[in-house]
mmCIF file of all heavy atoms in Angstrom:
data_model
loop_
_atom_site.group_PDB
_atom_site.id
_atom_site.type_symbol
_atom_site.label_atom_id
_atom_site.label_comp_id
_atom_site.label_asym_id
_atom_site.label_seq_id
_atom_site.Cartn_x
_atom_site.Cartn_y
_atom_site.Cartn_z
ATOM 1 N N ASP R 860 7.689 0.686 10.714
ATOM 2 C CA ASP R 860 7.487 0.602 12.166
ATOM 3 C C ASP R 860 6.313 1.466 12.626
ATOM 4 O O ASP R 860 5.589 1.103 13.555
ATOM 5 C CB ASP R 860 8.756 1.040 12.895
ATOM 6 C CG ASP R 860 9.872 0.013 12.809
ATOM 7 O OD1 ASP R 860 9.582 -1.162 12.476
ATOM 8 O OD2 ASP R 860 11.030 0.382 13.061
ATOM 9 N N SER R 861 6.108 2.583 11.962
ATOM 10 C CA SER R 861 5.080 3.535 12.388
ATOM 11 C C SER R 861 3.659 3.019 12.188
ATOM 12 O O SER R 861 2.715 3.578 12.751
ATOM 13 C CB SER R 861 5.250 4.867 11.651
ATOM 14 O OG SER R 861 5.142 4.672 10.253
ATOM 15 N N VAL R 862 3.494 1.972 11.369
ATOM 16 C CA VAL R 862 2.139 1.481 11.096
ATOM 17 C C VAL R 862 1.921 0.053 11.577
ATOM 18 O O VAL R 862 0.796 -0.475 11.465
ATOM 19 C CB VAL R 862 1.798 1.579 9.595
ATOM 20 C CG1 VAL R 862 2.026 2.997 9.084
ATOM 21 C CG2 VAL R 862 2.586 0.565 8.775
ATOM 22 N N LYS R 863 2.948 -0.579 12.106
ATOM 23 C CA LYS R 863 2.804 -1.959 12.579
ATOM 24 C C LYS R 863 1.714 -2.048 13.641
ATOM 25 O O LYS R 863 1.646 -1.236 14.553
ATOM 26 C CB LYS R 863 4.133 -2.460 13.149
ATOM 27 C CG LYS R 863 5.151 -2.823 12.102
ATOM 28 C CD LYS R 863 6.440 -3.338 12.731
ATOM 29 C CE LYS R 863 7.467 -3.696 11.668
ATOM 30 N NZ LYS R 863 8.758 -4.126 12.259
ATOM 31 N N GLY R 864 0.855 -3.049 13.489
ATOM 32 C CA GLY R 864 -0.242 -3.241 14.425
ATOM 33 C C GLY R 864 -1.480 -2.437 14.110
ATOM 34 O O GLY R 864 -2.534 -2.648 14.713
ATOM 35 N N ARG R 865 -1.374 -1.507 13.164
ATOM 36 C CA ARG R 865 -2.528 -0.678 12.798
ATOM 37 C C ARG R 865 -2.963 -0.897 11.353
ATOM 38 O O ARG R 865 -4.147 -0.795 11.041
ATOM 39 C CB ARG R 865 -2.206 0.811 13.002
ATOM 40 C CG ARG R 865 -1.831 1.174 14.416
ATOM 41 C CD ARG R 865 -1.723 2.703 14.586
ATOM 42 N NE ARG R 865 -0.669 3.276 13.765
ATOM 43 C CZ ARG R 865 -0.868 4.221 12.849
ATOM 44 N NH1 ARG R 865 -2.092 4.669 12.624
ATOM 45 N NH2 ARG R 865 0.157 4.709 12.151
ATOM 46 N N PHE R 866 -2.015 -1.143 10.481
ATOM 47 C CA PHE R 866 -2.299 -1.324 9.053
ATOM 48 C C PHE R 866 -2.102 -2.782 8.666
ATOM 49 O O PHE R 866 -1.221 -3.459 9.215
ATOM 50 C CB PHE R 866 -1.362 -0.463 8.207
ATOM 51 C CG PHE R 866 -1.588 1.022 8.294
ATOM 52 C CD1 PHE R 866 -2.411 1.599 9.242
ATOM 53 C CD2 PHE R 866 -0.945 1.863 7.376
ATOM 54 C CE1 PHE R 866 -2.607 2.960 9.314
ATOM 55 C CE2 PHE R 866 -1.130 3.236 7.422
ATOM 56 C CZ PHE R 866 -1.954 3.781 8.408
ATOM 57 N N THR R 867 -2.892 -3.222 7.695
ATOM 58 C CA THR R 867 -2.765 -4.583 7.180
ATOM 59 C C THR R 867 -2.817 -4.562 5.662
ATOM 60 O O THR R 867 -3.769 -4.024 5.087
ATOM 61 C CB THR R 867 -3.883 -5.482 7.714
ATOM 62 O OG1 THR R 867 -3.885 -5.463 9.142
ATOM 63 C CG2 THR R 867 -3.693 -6.918 7.231
ATOM 64 N N ILE R 868 -1.809 -5.144 5.033
ATOM 65 C CA ILE R 868 -1.787 -5.249 3.577
ATOM 66 C C ILE R 868 -2.211 -6.655 3.186
ATOM 67 O O ILE R 868 -1.887 -7.637 3.864
ATOM 68 C CB ILE R 868 -0.387 -4.905 3.013
ATOM 69 C CG1 ILE R 868 -0.441 -4.783 1.492
ATOM 70 C CG2 ILE R 868 0.665 -5.915 3.469
ATOM 71 C CD1 ILE R 868 0.828 -4.205 0.868
ATOM 72 N N SER R 869 -2.963 -6.730 2.096
ATOM 73 C CA SER R 869 -3.395 -8.028 1.588
ATOM 74 C C SER R 869 -3.548 -7.939 0.080
ATOM 75 O O SER R 869 -3.565 -6.844 -0.490
ATOM 76 C CB SER R 869 -4.714 -8.468 2.235
ATOM 77 O OG SER R 869 -5.743 -7.550 1.949
ATOM 78 N N ARG R 870 -3.660 -9.093 -0.564
ATOM 79 C CA ARG R 870 -3.836 -9.100 -2.011
ATOM 80 C C ARG R 870 -4.843 -10.167 -2.397
ATOM 81 O O ARG R 870 -4.941 -11.208 -1.736
ATOM 82 C CB ARG R 870 -2.501 -9.314 -2.726
ATOM 83 C CG ARG R 870 -1.800 -10.615 -2.386
ATOM 84 C CD ARG R 870 -0.342 -10.609 -2.837
ATOM 85 N NE ARG R 870 -0.212 -10.597 -4.285
ATOM 86 C CZ ARG R 870 0.942 -10.353 -4.915
ATOM 87 N NH1 ARG R 870 2.038 -10.100 -4.206
ATOM 88 N NH2 ARG R 870 1.011 -10.364 -6.218
ATOM 89 N N ASP R 871 -5.588 -9.871 -3.449
ATOM 90 C CA ASP R 871 -6.535 -10.821 -4.019
ATOM 91 C C ASP R 871 -6.134 -11.004 -5.469
ATOM 92 O O ASP R 871 -6.462 -10.175 -6.326
ATOM 93 C CB ASP R 871 -7.960 -10.283 -3.885
ATOM 94 C CG ASP R 871 -9.012 -11.278 -4.350
ATOM 95 O OD1 ASP R 871 -8.677 -12.176 -5.154
ATOM 96 O OD2 ASP R 871 -10.175 -11.149 -3.924
ATOM 97 N N ASN R 872 -5.413 -12.064 -5.737
ATOM 98 C CA ASN R 872 -4.895 -12.260 -7.089
ATOM 99 C C ASN R 872 -6.007 -12.498 -8.108
ATOM 100 O O ASN R 872 -5.856 -12.163 -9.286
ATOM 101 C CB ASN R 872 -3.902 -13.418 -7.098
ATOM 102 C CG ASN R 872 -2.659 -13.118 -6.291
ATOM 103 O OD1 ASN R 872 -2.176 -11.990 -6.249
ATOM 104 N ND2 ASN R 872 -2.129 -14.144 -5.619
ATOM 105 N N ALA R 873 -7.110 -13.046 -7.668
ATOM 106 C CA ALA R 873 -8.226 -13.277 -8.591
ATOM 107 C C ALA R 873 -8.829 -11.967 -9.080
ATOM 108 O O ALA R 873 -9.402 -11.900 -10.168
ATOM 109 C CB ALA R 873 -9.293 -14.125 -7.913
ATOM 110 N N LYS R 874 -8.685 -10.910 -8.263
ATOM 111 C CA LYS R 874 -9.234 -9.596 -8.623
ATOM 112 C C LYS R 874 -8.127 -8.620 -9.045
ATOM 113 O O LYS R 874 -8.409 -7.438 -9.260
ATOM 114 C CB LYS R 874 -10.006 -9.009 -7.441
ATOM 115 C CG LYS R 874 -11.239 -9.810 -7.070
ATOM 116 C CD LYS R 874 -11.989 -9.144 -5.928
ATOM 117 C CE LYS R 874 -13.256 -9.922 -5.591
ATOM 118 N NZ LYS R 874 -14.013 -9.303 -4.472
ATOM 119 N N ASN R 875 -6.894 -9.097 -9.122
ATOM 120 C CA ASN R 875 -5.759 -8.236 -9.483
ATOM 121 C C ASN R 875 -5.679 -7.007 -8.580
ATOM 122 O O ASN R 875 -5.396 -5.898 -9.050
ATOM 123 C CB ASN R 875 -5.842 -7.801 -10.954
ATOM 124 C CG ASN R 875 -5.680 -8.962 -11.900
ATOM 125 O OD1 ASN R 875 -5.147 -10.007 -11.545
ATOM 126 N ND2 ASN R 875 -6.154 -8.791 -13.119
ATOM 127 N N THR R 876 -5.919 -7.202 -7.308
ATOM 128 C CA THR R 876 -6.069 -6.087 -6.380
ATOM 129 C C THR R 876 -5.227 -6.296 -5.128
ATOM 130 O O THR R 876 -5.126 -7.412 -4.616
ATOM 131 C CB THR R 876 -7.539 -5.919 -5.983
ATOM 132 O OG1 THR R 876 -8.327 -5.703 -7.158
ATOM 133 C CG2 THR R 876 -7.729 -4.740 -5.043
ATOM 134 N N VAL R 877 -4.645 -5.196 -4.659
ATOM 135 C CA VAL R 877 -3.972 -5.186 -3.359
ATOM 136 C C VAL R 877 -4.676 -4.158 -2.494
ATOM 137 O O VAL R 877 -5.130 -3.118 -2.987
ATOM 138 C CB VAL R 877 -2.469 -4.884 -3.512
ATOM 139 C CG1 VAL R 877 -2.222 -3.500 -4.084
ATOM 140 C CG2 VAL R 877 -1.739 -5.047 -2.193
ATOM 141 N N TYR R 878 -4.795 -4.471 -1.216
ATOM 142 C CA TYR R 878 -5.533 -3.623 -0.282
ATOM 143 C C TYR R 878 -4.604 -3.141 0.831
ATOM 144 O O TYR R 878 -3.623 -3.799 1.177
ATOM 145 C CB TYR R 878 -6.683 -4.401 0.353
ATOM 146 C CG TYR R 878 -7.669 -4.986 -0.620
ATOM 147 C CD1 TYR R 878 -7.595 -6.318 -1.005
ATOM 148 C CD2 TYR R 878 -8.686 -4.206 -1.153
ATOM 149 C CE1 TYR R 878 -8.492 -6.867 -1.889
ATOM 150 C CE2 TYR R 878 -9.603 -4.744 -2.047
ATOM 151 C CZ TYR R 878 -9.496 -6.076 -2.410
ATOM 152 O OH TYR R 878 -10.402 -6.608 -3.293
ATOM 153 N N LEU R 879 -4.983 -2.016 1.418
ATOM 154 C CA LEU R 879 -4.343 -1.557 2.635
ATOM 155 C C LEU R 879 -5.453 -1.166 3.609
ATOM 156 O O LEU R 879 -6.125 -0.148 3.410
ATOM 157 C CB LEU R 879 -3.413 -0.373 2.382
ATOM 158 C CG LEU R 879 -2.611 0.083 3.609
ATOM 159 C CD1 LEU R 879 -1.589 -0.981 4.004
ATOM 160 C CD2 LEU R 879 -1.912 1.414 3.334
ATOM 161 N N GLN R 880 -5.648 -1.991 4.621
ATOM 162 C CA GLN R 880 -6.599 -1.686 5.681
ATOM 163 C C GLN R 880 -5.892 -0.852 6.728
ATOM 164 O O GLN R 880 -4.889 -1.288 7.288
ATOM 165 C CB GLN R 880 -7.138 -2.975 6.302
ATOM 166 C CG GLN R 880 -8.095 -2.753 7.456
ATOM 167 C CD GLN R 880 -9.384 -2.105 7.033
ATOM 168 O OE1 GLN R 880 -9.961 -2.448 6.000
ATOM 169 N NE2 GLN R 880 -9.859 -1.155 7.824
ATOM 170 N N MET R 881 -6.412 0.332 6.964
ATOM 171 C CA MET R 881 -5.779 1.265 7.900
ATOM 172 C C MET R 881 -6.725 1.515 9.065
ATOM 173 O O MET R 881 -7.815 2.074 8.872
ATOM 174 C CB MET R 881 -5.445 2.576 7.187
ATOM 175 C CG MET R 881 -4.581 2.387 5.945
ATOM 176 S SD MET R 881 -4.057 3.941 5.212
ATOM 177 C CE MET R 881 -5.635 4.595 4.658
ATOM 178 N N ASP R 882 -6.332 1.094 10.234
ATOM 179 C CA ASP R 882 -7.121 1.277 11.451
ATOM 180 C C ASP R 882 -6.379 2.186 12.431
ATOM 181 O O ASP R 882 -5.175 2.397 12.300
ATOM 182 C CB ASP R 882 -7.399 -0.082 12.105
ATOM 183 C CG ASP R 882 -8.186 -1.021 11.219
ATOM 184 O OD1 ASP R 882 -9.140 -0.546 10.568
ATOM 185 O OD2 ASP R 882 -7.854 -2.219 11.167
ATOM 186 N N SER R 883 -7.109 2.681 13.402
ATOM 187 C CA SER R 883 -6.523 3.557 14.431
ATOM 188 C C SER R 883 -5.693 4.665 13.790
ATOM 189 O O SER R 883 -4.554 4.934 14.191
ATOM 190 C CB SER R 883 -5.653 2.732 15.384
ATOM 191 O OG SER R 883 -6.404 1.718 16.003
ATOM 192 N N LEU R 884 -6.280 5.308 12.811
ATOM 193 C CA LEU R 884 -5.547 6.333 12.069
ATOM 194 C C LEU R 884 -5.195 7.525 12.940
ATOM 195 O O LEU R 884 -5.956 7.910 13.841
ATOM 196 C CB LEU R 884 -6.356 6.781 10.859
ATOM 197 C CG LEU R 884 -6.296 5.797 9.681
ATOM 198 C CD1 LEU R 884 -7.461 6.021 8.729
ATOM 199 C CD2 LEU R 884 -4.979 5.949 8.942
ATOM 200 N N LYS R 885 -4.032 8.099 12.649
ATOM 201 C CA LYS R 885 -3.512 9.248 13.390
ATOM 202 C C LYS R 885 -3.302 10.413 12.434
ATOM 203 O O LYS R 885 -3.133 10.208 11.217
ATOM 204 C CB LYS R 885 -2.165 8.885 14.019
ATOM 205 C CG LYS R 885 -2.193 7.677 14.933
ATOM 206 C CD LYS R 885 -0.792 7.345 15.427
ATOM 207 C CE LYS R 885 -0.791 6.112 16.334
ATOM 208 N NZ LYS R 885 0.569 5.778 16.811
ATOM 209 N N PRO R 886 -3.306 11.638 12.939
ATOM 210 C CA PRO R 886 -3.059 12.788 12.060
ATOM 211 C C PRO R 886 -1.753 12.658 11.266
ATOM 212 O O PRO R 886 -1.688 13.097 10.107
ATOM 213 C CB PRO R 886 -3.009 13.961 13.035
ATOM 214 C CG PRO R 886 -3.911 13.547 14.153
ATOM 215 C CD PRO R 886 -3.676 12.062 14.303
ATOM 216 N N GLU R 887 -0.758 12.037 11.854
ATOM 217 C CA GLU R 887 0.525 11.884 11.153
ATOM 218 C C GLU R 887 0.467 10.876 10.007
ATOM 219 O O GLU R 887 1.443 10.729 9.262
ATOM 220 C CB GLU R 887 1.644 11.514 12.126
ATOM 221 C CG GLU R 887 1.341 10.338 13.028
ATOM 222 C CD GLU R 887 0.834 10.777 14.402
ATOM 223 O OE1 GLU R 887 -0.011 11.703 14.457
ATOM 224 O OE2 GLU R 887 1.263 10.166 15.401
ATOM 225 N N ASP R 888 -0.660 10.177 9.849
ATOM 226 C CA ASP R 888 -0.842 9.299 8.697
ATOM 227 C C ASP R 888 -1.307 10.074 7.468
ATOM 228 O O ASP R 888 -1.409 9.499 6.373
ATOM 229 C CB ASP R 888 -1.864 8.206 9.010
ATOM 230 C CG ASP R 888 -1.382 7.248 10.095
ATOM 231 O OD1 ASP R 888 -0.194 6.863 10.057
ATOM 232 O OD2 ASP R 888 -2.196 6.896 10.965
ATOM 233 N N THR R 889 -1.610 11.355 7.638
ATOM 234 C CA THR R 889 -2.047 12.183 6.519
ATOM 235 C C THR R 889 -0.959 12.255 5.460
ATOM 236 O O THR R 889 0.190 12.603 5.746
ATOM 237 C CB THR R 889 -2.400 13.591 7.003
ATOM 238 O OG1 THR R 889 -3.523 13.512 7.882
ATOM 239 C CG2 THR R 889 -2.732 14.502 5.837
ATOM 240 N N ALA R 890 -1.320 11.897 4.225
ATOM 241 C CA ALA R 890 -0.357 11.864 3.123
ATOM 242 C C ALA R 890 -1.082 11.458 1.847
ATOM 243 O O ALA R 890 -2.252 11.058 1.892
ATOM 244 C CB ALA R 890 0.760 10.859 3.403
ATOM 245 N N VAL R 891 -0.379 11.549 0.738
ATOM 246 C CA VAL R 891 -0.836 10.916 -0.490
ATOM 247 C C VAL R 891 -0.269 9.498 -0.503
ATOM 248 O O VAL R 891 0.940 9.307 -0.324
ATOM 249 C CB VAL R 891 -0.381 11.693 -1.734
ATOM 250 C CG1 VAL R 891 -0.841 10.969 -3.007
ATOM 251 C CG2 VAL R 891 -0.928 13.114 -1.712
ATOM 252 N N TYR R 892 -1.132 8.545 -0.713
ATOM 253 C CA TYR R 892 -0.737 7.142 -0.701
ATOM 254 C C TYR R 892 -0.662 6.638 -2.138
ATOM 255 O O TYR R 892 -1.606 6.813 -2.921
ATOM 256 C CB TYR R 892 -1.733 6.318 0.104
ATOM 257 C CG TYR R 892 -1.554 6.491 1.588
ATOM 258 C CD1 TYR R 892 -1.867 7.698 2.215
ATOM 259 C CD2 TYR R 892 -1.047 5.466 2.384
ATOM 260 C CE1 TYR R 892 -1.688 7.873 3.580
ATOM 261 C CE2 TYR R 892 -0.868 5.623 3.747
ATOM 262 C CZ TYR R 892 -1.188 6.832 4.337
ATOM 263 O OH TYR R 892 -0.992 7.009 5.692
ATOM 264 N N PHE R 893 0.454 5.993 -2.458
ATOM 265 C CA PHE R 893 0.707 5.506 -3.811
ATOM 266 C C PHE R 893 0.813 3.985 -3.805
ATOM 267 O O PHE R 893 1.521 3.402 -2.958
ATOM 268 C CB PHE R 893 2.014 6.074 -4.356
ATOM 269 C CG PHE R 893 2.010 7.561 -4.561
ATOM 270 C CD1 PHE R 893 2.388 8.422 -3.551
ATOM 271 C CD2 PHE R 893 1.628 8.097 -5.791
ATOM 272 C CE1 PHE R 893 2.388 9.798 -3.737
ATOM 273 C CE2 PHE R 893 1.620 9.469 -5.996
ATOM 274 C CZ PHE R 893 1.999 10.322 -4.965
ATOM 275 N N CYS R 894 0.163 3.370 -4.769
ATOM 276 C CA CYS R 894 0.319 1.944 -4.988
ATOM 277 C C CYS R 894 1.579 1.710 -5.822
ATOM 278 O O CYS R 894 1.887 2.483 -6.739
ATOM 279 C CB CYS R 894 -0.901 1.405 -5.721
ATOM 280 S SG CYS R 894 -0.865 -0.370 -6.052
ATOM 281 N N ASN R 895 2.282 0.651 -5.498
ATOM 282 C CA ASN R 895 3.522 0.306 -6.202
ATOM 283 C C ASN R 895 3.499 -1.178 -6.549
ATOM 284 O O ASN R 895 3.031 -2.002 -5.760
ATOM 285 C CB ASN R 895 4.721 0.611 -5.307
ATOM 286 C CG ASN R 895 6.027 0.052 -5.855
ATOM 287 O OD1 ASN R 895 6.431 -1.064 -5.539
ATOM 288 N ND2 ASN R 895 6.686 0.826 -6.696
ATOM 289 N N ALA R 896 4.006 -1.473 -7.727
ATOM 290 C CA ALA R 896 4.173 -2.868 -8.136
ATOM 291 C C ALA R 896 5.551 -2.989 -8.778
ATOM 292 O O ALA R 896 5.945 -2.112 -9.550
ATOM 293 C CB ALA R 896 3.086 -3.295 -9.104
ATOM 294 N N ARG R 897 6.260 -4.040 -8.449
ATOM 295 C CA ARG R 897 7.612 -4.122 -8.988
ATOM 296 C C ARG R 897 7.926 -5.512 -9.532
ATOM 297 O O ARG R 897 7.453 -6.532 -9.019
ATOM 298 C CB ARG R 897 8.654 -3.713 -7.954
ATOM 299 C CG ARG R 897 8.708 -4.542 -6.699
ATOM 300 C CD ARG R 897 9.761 -3.967 -5.761
ATOM 301 N NE ARG R 897 9.962 -4.763 -4.573
ATOM 302 C CZ ARG R 897 9.323 -4.550 -3.432
ATOM 303 N NH1 ARG R 897 8.450 -3.575 -3.340
ATOM 304 N NH2 ARG R 897 9.580 -5.313 -2.383
ATOM 305 N N THR R 898 8.705 -5.473 -10.609
ATOM 306 C CA THR R 898 9.294 -6.678 -11.159
ATOM 307 C C THR R 898 10.793 -6.582 -10.930
ATOM 308 O O THR R 898 11.258 -5.658 -10.257
ATOM 309 C CB THR R 898 8.980 -6.804 -12.650
ATOM 310 O OG1 THR R 898 9.635 -5.723 -13.350
ATOM 311 C CG2 THR R 898 7.482 -6.730 -12.913
ATOM 312 N N VAL R 899 11.555 -7.480 -11.509
ATOM 313 C CA VAL R 899 13.007 -7.420 -11.366
ATOM 314 C C VAL R 899 13.551 -6.125 -11.971
ATOM 315 O O VAL R 899 14.489 -5.522 -11.460
ATOM 316 C CB VAL R 899 13.664 -8.649 -12.022
ATOM 317 C CG1 VAL R 899 15.188 -8.510 -12.036
ATOM 318 C CG2 VAL R 899 13.254 -9.910 -11.278
ATOM 319 N N LEU R 900 12.919 -5.675 -13.052
ATOM 320 C CA LEU R 900 13.472 -4.541 -13.796
ATOM 321 C C LEU R 900 12.741 -3.220 -13.557
ATOM 322 O O LEU R 900 13.344 -2.150 -13.709
ATOM 323 C CB LEU R 900 13.437 -4.846 -15.299
ATOM 324 C CG LEU R 900 14.323 -6.003 -15.778
ATOM 325 C CD1 LEU R 900 14.135 -6.228 -17.280
ATOM 326 C CD2 LEU R 900 15.791 -5.718 -15.470
ATOM 327 N N TYR R 901 11.474 -3.262 -13.226
ATOM 328 C CA TYR R 901 10.692 -2.033 -13.215
ATOM 329 C C TYR R 901 9.895 -1.872 -11.915
ATOM 330 O O TYR R 901 9.508 -2.834 -11.271
ATOM 331 C CB TYR R 901 9.700 -2.024 -14.388
ATOM 332 C CG TYR R 901 10.354 -2.008 -15.742
ATOM 333 C CD1 TYR R 901 10.306 -3.134 -16.567
ATOM 334 C CD2 TYR R 901 11.030 -0.883 -16.209
ATOM 335 C CE1 TYR R 901 10.905 -3.137 -17.804
ATOM 336 C CE2 TYR R 901 11.631 -0.883 -17.447
ATOM 337 C CZ TYR R 901 11.568 -2.011 -18.244
ATOM 338 O OH TYR R 901 12.169 -2.011 -19.467
ATOM 339 N N HIS R 902 9.662 -0.569 -11.611
ATOM 340 C CA HIS R 902 8.692 -0.178 -10.603
ATOM 341 C C HIS R 902 7.552 0.529 -11.325
ATOM 342 O O HIS R 902 7.802 1.398 -12.167
ATOM 343 C CB HIS R 902 9.308 0.787 -9.592
ATOM 344 C CG HIS R 902 10.091 0.120 -8.519
ATOM 345 N ND1 HIS R 902 9.711 0.127 -7.191
ATOM 346 C CD2 HIS R 902 11.237 -0.587 -8.557
ATOM 347 C CE1 HIS R 902 10.589 -0.540 -6.464
ATOM 348 N NE2 HIS R 902 11.533 -0.975 -7.267
ATOM 349 N N TYR R 903 6.339 0.196 -10.970
ATOM 350 C CA TYR R 903 5.158 0.864 -11.512
ATOM 351 C C TYR R 903 4.449 1.581 -10.374
ATOM 352 O O TYR R 903 4.427 1.089 -9.235
ATOM 353 C CB TYR R 903 4.214 -0.150 -12.158
ATOM 354 C CG TYR R 903 4.840 -0.933 -13.286
ATOM 355 C CD1 TYR R 903 5.403 -2.184 -13.056
ATOM 356 C CD2 TYR R 903 4.870 -0.434 -14.583
ATOM 357 C CE1 TYR R 903 5.980 -2.916 -14.083
ATOM 358 C CE2 TYR R 903 5.446 -1.163 -15.619
ATOM 359 C CZ TYR R 903 6.002 -2.400 -15.358
ATOM 360 O OH TYR R 903 6.576 -3.118 -16.375
ATOM 361 N N TRP R 904 3.848 2.724 -10.713
ATOM 362 C CA TRP R 904 3.186 3.541 -9.694
ATOM 363 C C TRP R 904 1.783 3.915 -10.118
ATOM 364 O O TRP R 904 1.512 4.173 -11.303
ATOM 365 C CB TRP R 904 3.980 4.829 -9.457
ATOM 366 C CG TRP R 904 5.339 4.600 -8.876
ATOM 367 C CD1 TRP R 904 6.509 4.494 -9.566
ATOM 368 C CD2 TRP R 904 5.659 4.434 -7.499
ATOM 369 N NE1 TRP R 904 7.548 4.260 -8.689
ATOM 370 C CE2 TRP R 904 7.050 4.230 -7.414
ATOM 371 C CE3 TRP R 904 4.915 4.434 -6.320
ATOM 372 C CZ2 TRP R 904 7.704 4.025 -6.205
ATOM 373 C CZ3 TRP R 904 5.568 4.242 -5.112
ATOM 374 C CH2 TRP R 904 6.951 4.044 -5.055
ATOM 375 N N GLY R 905 0.898 4.003 -9.131
ATOM 376 C CA GLY R 905 -0.411 4.570 -9.357
ATOM 377 C C GLY R 905 -0.346 6.080 -9.254
ATOM 378 O O GLY R 905 0.707 6.670 -8.995
ATOM 379 N N GLN R 906 -1.506 6.706 -9.419
ATOM 380 C CA GLN R 906 -1.552 8.168 -9.443
ATOM 381 C C GLN R 906 -1.623 8.763 -8.040
ATOM 382 O O GLN R 906 -1.423 9.972 -7.876
ATOM 383 C CB GLN R 906 -2.755 8.639 -10.275
ATOM 384 C CG GLN R 906 -4.094 8.616 -9.555
ATOM 385 C CD GLN R 906 -4.682 7.223 -9.391
ATOM 386 O OE1 GLN R 906 -4.145 6.233 -9.903
ATOM 387 N NE2 GLN R 906 -5.799 7.125 -8.682
ATOM 388 N N GLY R 907 -1.916 7.954 -7.051
ATOM 389 C CA GLY R 907 -1.984 8.424 -5.681
ATOM 390 C C GLY R 907 -3.390 8.737 -5.237
ATOM 391 O O GLY R 907 -4.240 9.139 -6.039
#
């Protein structure tokens, strides 16, 4: 809810890439952001 209307997630399967467009950023958005990918059995994480 805190990012609705400001952030947009998208994916480009041809490039094996997922994006997060972040607009109208606020100080409370400060954080380490981690990419996640999940299958039925596993969650995978990026380094942040």
Side-chain angles (χ1 to χ4, degrees):
D860 287 343
S861 60
V862 306
K863 284 181 180 177
R865 301 188 297 122
F866 291 11
T867 304
I868 190 170
S869 61
R870 60 195 293 168
D871 185 337
N872 294 325
K874 295 182 178 180
N875 294 339
T876 302
V877 63
Y878 303 98
L879 185 68
Q880 178 67 42
M881 305 186 294
D882 299 318
S883 301
L884 282 160
K885 303 176 181 180
E887 51 263 43
D888 294 318
T889 296
V891 178
Y892 284 69
F893 294 89
C894 181
N895 170 268
R897 61 182 185 267
T898 66
V899 173
L900 295 177
Y901 296 109
H902 278 246
Y903 301 95
W904 295 95
Q906 80 285 355

